[in-house]
Amino acid sequence: MADIAPTGPSDAPAGSVAPLEPHVIVLFGATGNLACRKLLPGLLHLSDAGLLPDYRVVGVATEELDDEAFREMARQACEEFARSDVGDSAWADFAKRLSYVPAVAGACRLREVVSAHESELGGQPRRLHYLSIPPNAAGAVVQMLADAGLVERARIVMEKPFGTDLATARALNATVHGIFREDQVFRIDHFLGKEAALNILAFRFANGLFEPIWNRDHIDHVQIDVPETLSVADRASFYEETGAFRDMVVTHLFQILAFMAMEPPTALEPKSISEEKNKVFRSMRPLDPKHVVRGQYEGYRHTPGVDPRSQTDTFVALRVEIDNWRWAGVPFFLRTGKEMAEGARIISIAFREPPKSMFPADSGVGAQGPDHLTFDLADSSKLSLSFYGKRPGPGMKLDKLSLQFALHETGREADVLEAYERLIHDAMVGDHTLFTTAEGIERLWEISAPLLEDPPQVLPYWSGSWGPATVDDLIAPRSWRLPFRRAWRDTAG
């Protein structure tokens, strides 16, 4: 086998994190969509940036490939989806670290390949098992790892959704805990790996200006809105088993809600942050189906693999209430869907309006709704605070103005890690801060039970719209922030 020089601290930029132990990364589902679009390009970027230790990657999937065929597939994926051009030198170094085991070869063959790589690395390397597979296949893969003797010194990353209801989540947790300790398990939510999501913690807890008003006395309601323009496309079989609520709300939007609503942790460390998130989940009221709108875009049932009478939701909007001291009486409105008018990921906090206005009726005050603090969770993240200000000239006419921040204005946009890159690195470090716990995921399925047991009928909506018309009734007398009345300020030039 060719000599491979280690990557790591000597190649890392100044101020980077402490070096990691050598790793063998076993990537299940290595030929799938997620692996091609995110995981393999992400590993290449981490390696090229000097953020990985000496490592090997073992791909596992159902396709009958050899090492060279897998490397060729990986190169095509990286050239198509990597954030920057794939240089020949970086690729040559990365390719040497890749190998492949067909799933049909079984646990013994997997053990042989991993052991050979561990001998090359020397000592006792760490193992990171990434399960980029459907939830119904997770139990078999966990058992395969046990049969292969690859549990010791290992961490396991599990993709969403973690179960499809409370019973399946508990069963999967029991299966996993029968082989791995909870501290070895990393249930991933890539939304929490975004720079903008982490900035919520910095914004809230590092600034004395905002934390005192982060409560029911000053906030009227919160919106978390993640519309997508994408269709279900070739994921129809997966979507028929999950739908928008299971795929997006339990695993993504609820996690963002917890960051927004949590109490200040005692320290910026995983245990404290996880505990505060779990307190939010414990305080959430069970979902009321009367406060949920489910939709399905026209044409979904004609997608290959979809039941012609399918009741699967491709859209969901809901009202969530948190029954604790800070948030009692403040509704959280969540919305997500496929084939919608725009693709966006925003959190919008609407502040209470003044109890009495001294301004004349024709001044314009209140005409454009309450003041909002808005986080854009896109990779090029932005933040906006809107407010009323006087229009220049005679008289007292008010306009809606805004203060805005965009990541590219800092000159540090190149330093941003893509969400999966950050989370892979955190899992290798053993940092659970941005991952979910067994308790947390089971509680979320518990509060979801009333909706899953008695779901409202799916309503049709046109592709390119904002969902079924009744979504406006859900939030009335308030209104949705998307579509924005005013575009983000363009300062790219």
Side-chain angles (χ1 to χ4, degrees):
M1 187 168 290
D3 293 335
I4 303 174
T7 64
S10 61
D11 302 319
S16 62
V17 296
L20 292 164
E21 302 168 87
H23 269 72
V24 175
I25 302 166
V26 183
L27 176 55
F28 291 90
T31 60
N33 182 271
L34 178 61
C36 291
R37 292 179 65 90
K38 296 293 184 179
L39 304 182
L40 289 167
L43 286 168
L44 173 60
H45 181 254
L46 287 172
S47 179
D48 194 36
L51 293 174
L52 291 184
D54 200 359
Y55 68 95
R56 303 292 186 274
V57 178
V58 181
V60 181
T62 56
E63 285 81 356
E64 293 276 359
L65 304 177
D66 59 18
D67 290 351
E68 287 307 314
F70 177 59
R71 289 168 185 154
E72 180 58 30
M73 184 221 74
R75 175 149 199 174
Q76 292 176 9
C78 290
E79 288 179 343
E80 182 175 359
F81 297 112
R83 292 188 291 157
S84 57
D85 292 338
V86 178
D88 290 340
S89 176
W91 174 254
D93 179 74
F94 185 64
K96 292 176 182 178
R97 303 172 189 274
L98 302 179
S99 61
Y100 185 82
V101 176
V104 294
C108 291
R109 177 57 182 161
L110 179 60
R111 173 68 186 183
E112 290 174 5
V113 173
V114 172
S115 295
H117 288 319
E118 291 178 343
S119 296
E120 297 165 13
L121 294 170
Q124 293 189 314
R126 281 276 184 184
R127 300 158 177 164
L128 183 73
H129 307 308
Y130 197 117
L131 275 57
S132 178
I133 55 175
N136 58 12
V141 170
V142 169
Q143 186 58 54
M144 181 181 183
L145 291 170
D147 294 342
L150 298 177
V151 175
E152 186 181 359
R153 307 190 311 280
R155 299 183 178 110
I156 180 170
V157 179
M158 305 194 70
E159 269 291 338
K160 57 90 175 175
F162 195 88
T164 55
D165 55 21
L166 180 58
T168 55
R170 284 176 171 167
L172 184 53
N173 273 328
T175 298
V176 173
H177 288 158
I179 296 170
F180 291 92
R181 302 185 310 273
E182 175 64 15
D183 67 296
Q184 293 178 282
V185 183
F186 292 75
R187 298 170 190 82
I188 196 168
D189 169 23
H190 73 270
F191 271 46
L192 293 187
K194 292 180 175 295
E195 196 75 29
L198 292 170
N199 211 25
I200 296 170
L201 297 182
F203 189 88
R204 281 193 60 188
F205 301 127
N207 297 293
L209 176 62
F210 294 102
E211 180 55 27
I213 62 172
W214 212 268
N215 56 57
R216 64 189 302 273
D217 294 329
H218 301 279
I219 293 176
D220 178 78
H221 70 279
V222 177
Q223 296 181 32
I224 303 176
D225 209 349
V226 186
E228 297 180 295
T229 58
L230 299 174
S231 69
V232 171
D234 58 355
R235 301 177 69 218
S237 59
F238 166 78
Y239 227 74
E240 278 290 274
E241 295 179 2
T242 55
F245 178 78
R246 288 180 169 94
D247 181 44
M248 292 292 293
V249 177
V250 177
T251 52
H252 292 325
L253 275 64
F254 281 166
Q255 302 299 327
I256 293 295
L257 181 151
F259 263 27
M260 291 296 304
M262 63 190 279
E263 296 296 321
T266 56
L268 191 65
E269 54 90 17
K271 185 176 181 181
S272 296
I273 291 175
S274 293
E275 175 56 22
E276 295 305 332
K277 286 175 57 187
N278 285 342
K279 286 180 182 177
V280 173
F281 299 149
R282 292 179 210 132
S283 299
M284 289 169 62
R285 291 182 178 177
L287 300 182
D288 185 344
K290 295 194 298 294
H291 294 155
V292 179
V293 176
R294 299 170 69 238
Q296 185 183 96
Y297 64 80
E298 293 284 359
Y300 171 76
R301 294 178 183 177
H302 301 303
T303 305
V306 171
D307 185 336
R309 294 170 295 179
S310 173
Q311 288 293 305
T312 298
D313 49 287
T314 64
F315 170 97
V316 64
L318 60 154
R319 173 177 175 142
V320 177
E321 299 199 7
I322 301 174
D323 196 13
N324 64 16
W325 192 277
R326 182 183 292 262
W327 297 112
V330 177
F332 286 70
F333 296 100
L334 281 54
R335 177 173 65 169
T336 186
K338 300 289 187 184
E339 291 221 357
M340 297 185 69
E342 295 178 19
R345 296 167 180 174
I346 72 153
I347 304 167
S348 189
I349 297 99
F351 292 99
R352 295 191 183 278
E353 298 189 68
K356 184 173 176 61
S357 176
M358 66 180 186
F359 298 95
D362 63 349
S363 67
V365 67
Q368 298 187 55
D371 300 336
H372 285 85
L373 174 64
T374 303
F375 293 88
D376 185 338
L377 300 186
D379 291 333
S380 54
S381 60
K382 292 173 283 191
L383 184 151
S384 173
L385 177 63
S386 69
F387 58 93
Y388 285 97
K390 182 184 178 301
R391 182 187 305 172
M396 182 58 76
K397 296 289 186 179
L398 304 182
D399 288 327
K400 202 71 166 182
L401 308 174
S402 66
L403 299 172
Q404 294 190 13
F405 157 81
L407 181 64
H408 66 259
E409 295 173 342
T410 67
R412 300 293 301 274
E413 194 171 16
D415 296 340
V416 174
L417 288 179
E418 197 274 335
Y420 279 102
E421 296 169 3
R422 176 187 300 280
L423 293 170
I424 289 170
H425 189 270
D426 284 358
M428 295 175 77
V429 172
D431 185 346
H432 279 86
T433 301
L434 302 178
F435 296 86
T436 58
T437 65
E439 176 191 343
I441 199 67
E442 289 184 13
R443 172 58 183 167
L444 291 176
W445 286 121
E446 183 179 9
I447 67 165
S448 302
L451 173 61
L452 299 178
E453 292 167 2
D454 185 25
Q457 181 181 358
V458 293
L459 304 174
Y461 66 97
W462 293 108
S463 297
S465 72
W466 288 98
T470 53
V471 72
D472 291 326
D473 298 332
L474 175 71
I475 200 171
R478 306 168 179 92
S479 59
W480 293 99
R481 285 280 281 156
L482 287 176
F484 285 131
R485 296 180 183 178
R486 300 177 312 282
W488 289 94
R489 185 179 72 238
D490 183 7
T491 58

